[in-house]
Amino acid sequence: MYIRAGGLDFFTMRGALWSTTTLRFELDLVNARVPQGIEAATQSSFRLKRVGVNQAIVALMEPLKGPQEVELDLQMTIHSSGQYAGKAIAKIYIYVSPHEF
């Protein structure tokens, strides 16, 4: 599988676009389950790209070997008028086949 230099975008999260709202995005690799002998995904396998003030995109930066199951957490922390207003969490599950297509 070929992935271009900027990565392969595969997930987008958006928040409110109000002048009083600020958003902070964080991406965490929670777990990568692989059988022995297969290289597991790492945090550097993925990149979080900010797009504008209210949006972030998760990109795959390198091909993943299968089989493996990867769990990512994308968190968006929301502040309104300087006060904490909440948090949204997207749980992203990636299932990698042992077969190349």
Side-chain angles (χ1 to χ4, degrees):
M1 173 182 196
Y2 171 75
I3 296 179
R4 60 188 159 94
L8 176 65
D9 298 348
F10 69 91
F11 189 86
T12 301
M13 180 180 255
R14 289 187 183 101
L17 187 55
W18 300 320
S19 62
T20 59
T21 302
T22 57
L23 305 172
R24 187 184 63 179
F25 293 93
E26 294 178 49
L27 180 66
D28 295 312
L29 175 66
V30 176
N31 196 0
R33 291 178 290 278
V34 296
Q36 188 173 359
I38 300 294
E39 184 178 343
T42 64
Q43 184 77 33
S44 65
S45 301
F46 305 94
R47 187 170 97 195
L48 184 62
K49 302 179 191 179
R50 283 298 298 257
V51 180
V53 295
N54 75 324
Q55 180 175 315
I57 297 173
V58 180
L60 179 64
M61 300 308 294
E62 61 190 21
L64 301 178
K65 300 285 186 201
Q68 70 176 293
E69 299 173 10
V70 180
E71 180 182 352
L72 301 170
D73 275 358
L74 176 57
Q75 299 178 32
M76 177 178 62
T77 304
I78 307 158
H79 287 83
S80 181
S81 300
Q83 299 292 319
Y84 175 80
K87 183 180 277 196
I89 301 173
K91 296 263 189 199
I92 303 168
Y93 296 94
I94 302 168
Y95 299 95
V96 182
S97 170
H99 310 287
E100 292 191 25
F101 293 95

